[in-house]
Amino acid sequence: MDATAAMQLTQPLHKALIERPEATALVYGQRRTCFAALVDQVARLAAVLRGFGLKPGDRVAMLAPNSDRYVIFFYAVWWAGGVVNPVNIRWSAREIAYSLDDCDTRWLLVDAPFHATALGLRGLSSSLTQLLHWGDGAAPEGLVDLPAMVAAATPVADAGRGGSDLAAVMYTGGTTGRPKGVMLTQANLYLNLLCANLAAQRPFEAVGIAIAPMFHVGGMGLTLQLMQRLCRQVILPAFDEVALLQAVADERGSETFLVPTMLKRLVEHPRFAEFDTRSLQLVLYGAAPIDEALLAQAQAALPGAGFCQLYGMTELSPVVTALPAWCHAADQPAELRRQRLRSAGRPVAIAELRIVDGQDQPLPNGQVGEIVVRGPTVMAGYWNQPEQTAAAVKEGWMHTGDGGWMDHDGFVYVVDRIKDMIVTGGENVYSAEVENAITQLPAVSMVAVIGVPDERWGERVHAVVVLRADHSLSTEDLIAHCRTQIAGYKCPRSVEFRTELPLSAAGKILKYELRAPFWAGRSRHVN
């Protein structure tokens, strides 16, 4: 018998019917849904999906911005016995079709903004059999009116899937080659949400503001974490500073998840002071460490909030380390606080993490190598890609592709993606170290450091910089500052100033887009 069989993602819905049936579960615009109504809609949508022929383990996709219906989609597919395949809304129709066909997804739920894209998929996808309108307003020609069918359906019982049963196929961003379908089980996601709730020291009965995209594992993870605690979720379709501030003020929002770039935009917004943000108790952040200047700015703007960094990846369900609020507090020794803020925190309770060399041999504390992770939240593998799975997971250890080191207190420091390492004049340079030096300059808003071709050095360190409004900075002054912070060979040899940097849906800087023009036409690419 599977010892994890009782780990079912639908469990909190059953708890809610007993403990808090009339409490508000979801808020989206003017629509408010209590837990009893949520479970009813989940069971009705599950009934419709089974009526379409869904069998246990079948994949169901959704193409939509965040909404209350997205949450219902997650739980209804699991209730019906299926597997979710959330679609990246930034992909082209051909990329979407690839992800559907790769894991043989027959049904696609679509919200109104993507009706045209969905209709175009009919000629591109060989697996898609039904397009289902799942949003407000009438269904256009060619799409099934799913809300009407759900309203008329008879609720069905929970299929009771759990443990090693597949729960999600989450496609990686596809920054190199074709996207890979990361297979996550019910137990993977269930155990990870428990650890994330524990590691971030979060209270029960919080009010969460869900703003990260739900097609991304981070956004889905926040929804699962809030649902497990039977919290109210206030859902915003996308990141908007004023909408987020309004939601915090109106709903007394107590926690949210942002990437540092979003946090900066929030606290620097000219209307920030107009809104009551005193209810905010916890700001979770990820995708990158937070620099001291931004943290000080955010703590001054949100004095009642703690800050917690979460580090992970889709293949780890996703959280693997946490830097809790006490590490951000100002009452620690200044140098110790400064050092820990550069880290990603300590591994969560069920994650075993170590640093290894190129032969997978463990390295001592303080030495840079690849971060590998073992434990029950490691993915089940890449969909239909056994060779890539075997290359990534060796003897149970997930190879993250991130370079890092661990200190004597167990704090993990991510220095860069290994593929982003710059080799200049025979020396290894980790771009995160250079970026940390540059972000100390008050004029700098954002920076990305990449390796570009250089006839003399092989590669040179190149910085792409976005300045704060009404600030100026010369290339010479930037390089001179870096020389006071890091070794000369690590300093940028060229600097480019831009008004913005390309960002992924998860808020990460897309360095491959910055590199592409420099490496075009060459047989070797940094990425």
Side-chain angles (χ1 to χ4, degrees):
M1 180 180 176
D2 181 1
T4 65
M7 297 179 184
Q8 299 175 356
L9 294 174
T10 55
Q11 181 204 38
L13 300 187
H14 297 284
K15 281 172 55 64
L17 287 177
I18 299 170
E19 300 171 24
R20 310 191 69 201
E22 301 306 318
T24 300
L26 306 175
V27 177
Y28 181 72
Q30 299 302 308
R31 195 157 55 221
R32 307 177 77 87
T33 306
C34 70
F35 281 102
L38 169 62
V39 176
D40 180 67
Q41 291 187 54
V42 163
R44 289 173 184 271
L45 176 53
V48 174
L49 293 174
R50 288 188 193 170
F52 288 145
L54 183 145
K55 301 292 189 299
D58 284 349
R59 278 70 60 200
V60 184
M62 182 151 175
L63 177 62
N66 289 0
S67 71
D68 51 352
R69 296 188 194 275
Y70 217 126
V71 178
I72 295 167
F73 155 74
F74 284 141
Y75 286 96
V77 173
W78 293 327
W79 194 280
V83 176
V84 298
N85 175 11
V87 176
N88 188 327
I89 62 175
R90 297 186 177 184
W91 280 355
S92 69
R94 290 191 179 278
E95 290 170 315
I96 294 170
Y98 170 80
S99 71
L100 299 176
D101 292 348
D102 183 58
C103 66
D104 192 27
T105 300
R106 294 167 54 196
W107 302 279
L108 176 65
L109 280 63
V110 188
D111 203 349
F114 299 98
H115 283 163
T117 301
L119 290 168
L121 290 171
R122 288 198 182 278
L124 297 173
S125 170
S126 59
S127 63
L128 190 60
T129 59
Q130 282 184 304
L131 294 174
L132 312 171
H133 165 66
W134 184 233
D136 298 328
E141 185 178 352
L143 272 74
V144 176
D145 190 348
L146 199 53
M149 295 188 69
V150 169
T154 301
V156 294
D158 187 352
R161 301 262 290 178
S164 60
D165 292 328
L166 193 60
V169 181
M170 309 289 292
Y171 278 83
T172 58
T175 55
T176 57
R178 284 188 161 182
K180 299 188 292 290
V182 178
M183 297 188 293
L184 302 178
T185 68
Q186 294 262 337
N188 284 157
L189 292 167
Y190 186 96
L191 287 166
N192 200 276
L193 71 87
L194 293 179
C195 275
N197 277 333
L198 177 64
Q201 302 171 2
R202 294 146 83 174
F204 281 80
E205 298 191 18
V207 177
I209 311 295
I211 202 165
M214 290 181 178
F215 66 76
H216 185 271
V217 72
M220 184 177 78
L222 180 64
T223 283
L224 299 184
Q225 294 154 24
L226 291 168
M227 192 67 72
Q228 191 70 29
R229 291 147 57 210
L230 306 185
C231 299
R232 185 191 319 164
Q233 294 188 49
V234 183
I235 302 164
L236 301 179
F239 176 69
D240 177 270
E241 299 94 330
V242 173
L244 175 55
L245 291 166
Q246 191 73 61
V248 171
D250 291 349
E251 297 291 338
R252 310 303 298 157
S254 58
E255 69 179 66
T256 192
F257 175 82
L258 301 169
V259 299
T261 51
M262 292 178 180
L263 180 60
K264 177 186 286 290
R265 286 171 54 184
L266 184 73
V267 299
E268 291 183 350
H269 195 275
R271 293 187 59 193
F272 180 88
E274 297 178 23
F275 299 90
D276 183 358
T277 57
R278 289 174 296 177
S279 62
L280 203 57
Q281 299 175 26
L282 179 64
V283 176
L284 301 159
Y285 68 93
I290 197 166
D291 67 75
E292 274 192 274
L294 175 57
L295 178 61
Q297 185 181 16
Q299 287 179 322
L302 301 165
F307 293 80
C308 175
Q309 180 186 174
L310 300 175
Y311 159 73
M313 62 189 301
T314 305
E315 290 89 337
L316 294 170
S317 306
V319 179
V320 65
T321 71
L323 186 71
W326 63 266
C327 291
H328 297 72
D331 59 358
Q332 299 178 82
E335 186 53 40
L336 180 62
R337 177 175 180 266
R338 188 172 298 115
Q339 177 181 326
R340 285 179 174 169
L341 285 177
R342 298 189 188 111
S343 81
R346 288 170 166 158
V348 296
I350 58 174
E352 185 180 353
L353 184 152
R354 69 186 186 190
I355 311 298
V356 300
D357 62 17
Q359 288 72 48
D360 280 346
Q361 295 303 304
L363 291 170
N365 290 339
Q367 287 195 23
V368 173
E370 184 175 9
I371 298 170
V372 297
V373 180
R374 182 168 67 180
T377 66
V378 172
M379 66 172 182
Y382 295 118
W383 182 275
N384 202 30
Q385 296 197 40
E387 291 183 2
Q388 293 208 44
T389 300
V393 184
K394 303 173 185 176
E395 297 182 355
W397 291 94
M398 177 68 211
H399 288 59
T400 66
D402 285 342
W405 58 280
M406 184 183 290
D407 68 17
H408 291 283
D409 294 317
F411 286 82
V412 179
Y413 297 76
V414 182
V415 296
D416 215 338
R417 289 290 298 174
I418 288 175
K419 66 183 179 185
D420 288 343
M421 186 177 70
I422 303 163
V423 182
T424 179
E427 296 282 358
N428 293 343
V429 176
Y430 293 98
S431 64
E433 187 176 3
V434 188
E435 289 161 353
N436 288 338
I438 294 172
T439 55
Q440 294 177 27
L441 289 162
V444 174
S445 174
M446 295 178 68
V447 61
V449 170
I450 59 175
V452 300
D454 188 275
E455 294 301 319
R456 180 178 180 185
W457 303 103
E459 293 178 59
R460 71 175 183 273
V461 179
H462 179 75
V464 186
V465 179
V466 176
L467 298 179
R468 295 177 184 271
D470 302 318
H471 284 71
S472 61
L473 181 68
S474 70
T475 295
E476 294 75 14
D477 287 343
L478 185 149
I479 295 174
H481 163 77
C482 288
R483 289 187 180 278
T484 68
Q485 303 294 317
I486 53 179
Y489 72 85
K490 298 180 180 179
C491 295
R493 296 180 181 273
S494 55
V495 179
E496 176 184 357
F497 293 98
R498 295 192 181 190
T499 57
E500 60 182 10
L501 296 178
L503 301 176
S504 73
K508 295 184 180 182
I509 297 172
L510 298 173
K511 289 189 176 181
Y512 75 99
E513 288 192 9
L514 297 175
R515 290 192 194 96
F518 294 96
W519 293 90
R522 294 174 177 260
S523 59
R524 178 183 178 274
H525 295 95
V526 171
N527 60 343

